[in-house]
Amino acid sequence: MSATYPIVITLSRPVRFGDDDITELKLREPLAGDFRALNEPSDVFASSLNLAAELAGLPASVIDRLGLDDTQAVIKAVNPFLFWFR
């Protein structure tokens, strides 16, 4: 899989994290260890969100507060990583 890193997702609505408003997610290139965050690999939706949190270096609670459009963009960005090894 060839991609340019970081993958930047500009959020349609900022997410508050502490004192900061997060306006974009920067997803770095995945490493083998990042896939350990996938507690239940058969649950593709949860796995996508967990992997996105790992790659963005943010707690899952930040990803959990994304709006629908932003969630869709995140899943579209990380899903290829979940299926490339099949």
Side-chain angles (χ1 to χ4, degrees):
M1 159 172 265
S2 63
T4 304
Y5 298 98
I7 297 171
V8 178
I9 300 170
T10 302
L11 301 179
S12 62
R13 187 175 33 162
V15 174
R16 192 83 172 152
F17 178 54
D19 293 332
D20 299 321
D21 284 325
I22 297 174
T23 58
E24 65 182 16
L25 300 177
K26 292 183 181 178
L27 306 178
R28 62 171 172 73
E29 182 176 10
L31 303 173
D34 294 318
F35 293 94
R36 293 182 191 276
L38 308 180
N39 298 332
E40 186 58 50
S42 63
D43 185 348
V44 176
F45 190 74
S47 294
S48 297
L49 298 177
N50 289 340
L51 185 58
E54 284 291 313
L55 299 181
L58 294 168
S61 62
V62 172
I63 302 299
D64 289 348
R65 292 193 304 265
L66 295 176
L68 185 58
D69 289 342
D70 295 329
T71 300
Q72 184 177 20
V74 165
I75 289 184
K76 183 177 178 182
V78 300
N79 269 4
F81 301 122
L82 299 176
F83 296 108
W84 67 266
F85 53 86
R86 287 187 176 194

